Amino acid sequence: MNSPDPNEPLPVMAKADTQVWAQKMTEYMAQAAGVTLNKDSVNPFFSNCEGKNGEVVEDGRYTLAYHVASTVPLAEHPGAVRKLKPVLEQDGFTVTSYRETVNGRPEALLYAKHNEGRYFINVSTGGGPDRLTFTINTRCLMPSSASSTAQH
């Protein structure tokens, strides 16, 4: 991860609010892809922001990697990412990597970034043949003063 621009203010967002936002975003993506998420598979992971040389500022800055899976037959993974790709592009995302198959077999992968919000999305086959995962990685965020002491 690169260090944030010191002249650019960090977005302020409580960790709980960030997690709710990520949940809503993954639900939106799943709906666009025509799949249902497994609520039991939700795995939010908060970590300290780390600069390009491994430096960490102890002011509460954090990132979120939010993972959730769906159970979808492997043969349907290409169609799911095919449906999702134009929706994301219409919403201002840049698709940075995309595939539906590997060596003629279904194995979906869709990486996208949102330049304004500067967060990243990964939708891919993984963790089992009938598992399509949805992941959101945020940029460095600053907790609101009310949440800066809360640890998740």
Side-chain angles (χ1 to χ4, degrees):
M1 168 189 297
N2 290 329
S3 297
D5 180 347
N7 298 317
E8 180 182 335
L10 293 173
V12 176
M13 189 176 237
K15 286 182 177 181
D17 293 339
T18 304
Q19 186 170 333
V20 167
W21 168 82
Q23 175 186 344
K24 289 180 181 179
M25 186 63 191
T26 53
E27 289 170 352
Y28 170 74
M29 291 189 307
Q31 182 180 21
V35 303
T36 302
L37 297 175
N38 300 336
K39 302 293 183 188
D40 294 341
S41 71
V42 170
N43 184 13
F45 180 75
F46 289 94
S47 60
N48 292 327
C49 288
E50 193 172 302
K52 66 181 175 181
N53 297 316
E55 65 274 12
V56 175
V57 179
E58 298 296 330
D59 62 0
R61 297 176 198 201
Y62 69 93
T63 62
L64 170 62
Y66 184 91
H67 309 278
V68 63
S70 60
T71 303
V72 180
L74 182 60
E76 295 176 22
H77 290 196
V81 294
R82 195 176 310 124
K83 289 178 198 172
L84 179 57
K85 184 177 181 264
V87 171
L88 292 175
E89 290 172 333
Q90 184 177 350
D91 288 344
F93 285 85
T94 300
V95 174
T96 58
S97 189
Y98 179 84
R99 73 170 183 242
E100 296 179 8
T101 62
V102 172
N103 297 325
R105 297 181 44 99
E107 188 172 319
L109 174 82
L110 188 158
Y111 289 156
K113 66 179 182 175
H114 194 273
N115 291 329
E116 275 185 40
R118 294 200 336 219
Y119 56 93
F120 306 91
I121 290 174
N122 171 354
V123 179
S124 59
T125 300
D130 291 338
R131 188 174 171 121
L132 188 64
T133 60
F134 293 77
T135 302
I136 293 180
N137 293 297
T138 69
R139 63 185 263 191
C140 227
L141 300 170
M142 179 69 81
S144 61
S145 58
S147 69
S148 62
T149 59
Q151 296 296 317
H152 294 271

